[in-house]
Amino acid sequence: MRVDEFDFDLPRQLIADRPAEPRDAARLLEVAADGLTDRRIGDLPGRLRAGDLLVVNDTRVIPARLHGKRGLAGIEIMLHQPAEAGRWRAFARPAKKLKPGDVVRFADDFAATIVAKGEAGEVEVAFDDPADLAAQLQRHGEIPLPPYIDRPDGPDERDRADYQTVFARYDGAVAAPTAGLHFTPPLLDALAARGIETVRLTLHVGAGTFLPVKSDTVEGHVMHAERGVLTAEAADRVNAARAAGGRIVSVGTTSLRLLESAAADDGTVRPFDGSTAIFITPGYRFRAVDLLVTNFHLPRSTLFMLVCAFAGMDRMTRAYAHAIATGYRFYSYGDACLLHRSDRDD
């Protein structure tokens, strides 16, 4: 397939700069076989049923963007994936003049050495004190907001809270699992009161998920791998819910990608602890997930390809046209949609 089949025009004013307040006041577009329905996130308990199971991602975003100096030259290092021996893969800007052995200093007591260079600005870095890295990132790092969120002076203190989900527990993501940003304790209580339970998995979202697709064809794009964990207990709960007739409701594309990575042909899931580079495009046969709560994604992106695969390309084209025409807010801090799987619209 050609990537330009997934293109659309989005007015700049529809890109959300801040999340809705409260978070569960965001709009929710339900996309099903019988059409499109405008709702609110707070309506979600009424759109699900007892026995359905929400699967959420409990990764926590780390302050992964660092600004430093190599000599007098300013260098930005954006961490995106742990490597071996305490090293990290990262994207550097500008990367052209960096070479292995160069030291980038972020503070008097905080530096990293370039140990390898890859393509498209990717480098591998070794920090001078890996054991202290988490604390140093909290002191000197920035929350890595996507570039479409306009912050001329960088992320502010509000972003440190806004860009974490209520489920955040395990450090490791460099981008938020944004569908989870809409959930609040009162909303979770309302879901539980209707017999809709929640189970957690962990997928540390990497920058690779959001990298632009530069090839002309979908088949020419190579996905970056991301680390995920689905425990045996969580897998058992997913399988038990399905066996009892409940639907599996993925909160976000990150949860969906890990569930599908762990799924067998019969829809059951196995425990998973490792990396996944699953790339879901139209024609993919979904096995584990029945409904998907997700934000509105970028044109030509792997995530828009995924939702087209899940709900049907024609249906998603109509849904996005409706969302744009009626002023839904897009991207990380924006509104959401509830997608029914196109081959299972119950």
Side-chain angles (χ1 to χ4, degrees):
M1 300 184 72
R2 291 191 58 81
V3 172
D4 56 17
E5 295 180 56
F6 301 90
D7 203 2
F8 56 89
D9 292 324
L10 181 71
R12 179 65 179 83
Q13 64 268 23
L14 294 185
I15 299 174
D17 192 54
R18 297 285 185 182
E21 292 187 9
R23 293 189 186 199
D24 54 16
R27 298 174 72 185
L28 178 73
L29 178 61
E30 186 167 2
V31 183
D34 58 358
L36 309 174
T37 308
D38 298 307
R39 305 189 188 279
R40 296 282 174 182
I41 289 287
D43 297 331
L44 188 59
R47 303 310 305 152
L48 304 179
R49 59 191 184 221
D52 288 346
L53 182 67
L54 285 179
V55 183
V56 303
N57 187 357
D58 62 7
T59 188
R60 179 185 292 276
V61 181
I62 62 173
R65 180 172 283 118
L66 294 163
H67 298 278
K69 295 277 191 181
R70 187 210 59 178
L72 297 177
I75 301 290
E76 179 184 293
I77 297 290
M78 171 67 180
L79 307 181
H80 75 84
Q81 189 179 40
E84 296 179 0
R87 298 174 178 178
W88 276 79
R89 295 185 179 91
F91 295 108
R93 292 196 308 174
K96 186 175 181 180
K97 295 184 179 180
L98 289 175
K99 61 183 185 299
D102 284 348
V103 175
V104 180
R105 186 161 296 280
F106 311 107
D108 290 343
D109 60 346
F110 185 33
T113 301
I114 307 297
V115 294
K117 287 189 69 175
E119 297 180 353
E122 189 173 29
V123 297
E124 187 169 316
V125 298
F127 289 94
D128 48 7
D129 187 0
D132 195 40
L133 179 59
Q136 292 282 26
L137 289 177
Q138 290 298 326
R139 285 192 287 269
H140 304 292
E142 288 182 354
I143 289 293
L145 290 182
Y148 48 74
I149 294 178
D150 189 18
R151 295 285 188 275
D153 298 323
D156 54 31
E157 283 304 309
R158 180 177 169 186
D159 287 313
R160 284 195 172 241
D162 284 348
Y163 204 56
Q164 299 285 8
T165 73
V166 69
F167 311 111
R169 180 181 294 176
Y170 299 110
D171 286 349
V174 299
T178 54
L181 296 178
H182 300 292
F183 286 77
T184 63
L187 177 58
L188 293 172
D189 289 343
L191 287 160
R194 291 185 61 88
I196 302 157
E197 296 186 351
T198 301
V199 68
R200 296 167 178 250
L201 52 72
T202 307
L203 183 74
H204 293 312
V205 191
T209 299
F210 304 103
L211 286 176
V213 178
K214 295 182 178 179
S215 62
D216 292 331
T217 64
V218 171
E219 296 77 10
H221 180 69
V222 178
M223 287 285 285
H224 281 66
E226 296 167 317
R227 175 80 194 290
V229 177
L230 177 69
T231 65
E233 178 185 1
D236 287 345
R237 289 187 61 196
V238 171
N239 294 334
R242 179 177 295 283
R247 297 173 299 179
I248 305 305
V249 184
S250 177
V251 176
T253 57
T254 60
S255 297
L256 181 148
R257 291 178 66 243
L258 186 55
L259 285 170
E260 292 295 324
S261 297
D265 286 342
D266 63 358
T268 59
V269 297
R270 304 172 295 266
F272 187 99
D273 187 347
S275 293
T276 177
I278 189 171
F279 184 18
I280 296 175
T281 60
Y284 177 86
R285 186 176 71 84
F286 289 87
R287 297 168 292 177
V289 176
D290 302 302
L291 294 102
L292 171 63
V293 180
T294 186
N295 284 23
F296 291 93
H297 303 296
L298 280 72
R300 302 174 64 91
S301 66
T302 61
L303 300 183
F304 185 55
M305 295 172 191
L306 184 154
V307 298
C308 287
F310 188 82
M313 196 157 180
D314 289 344
R315 197 184 295 178
M316 291 311 301
T317 299
R318 292 194 301 272
Y320 272 52
H322 173 83
I324 291 169
T326 55
Y328 276 76
R329 302 163 73 242
F330 273 63
Y331 304 165
S332 295
Y333 280 157
D335 297 315
C337 45
L338 172 62
L339 306 182
H340 293 248
R341 202 171 87 191
S342 60
D343 61 347
R344 185 182 172 179
D345 282 298
D346 54 354

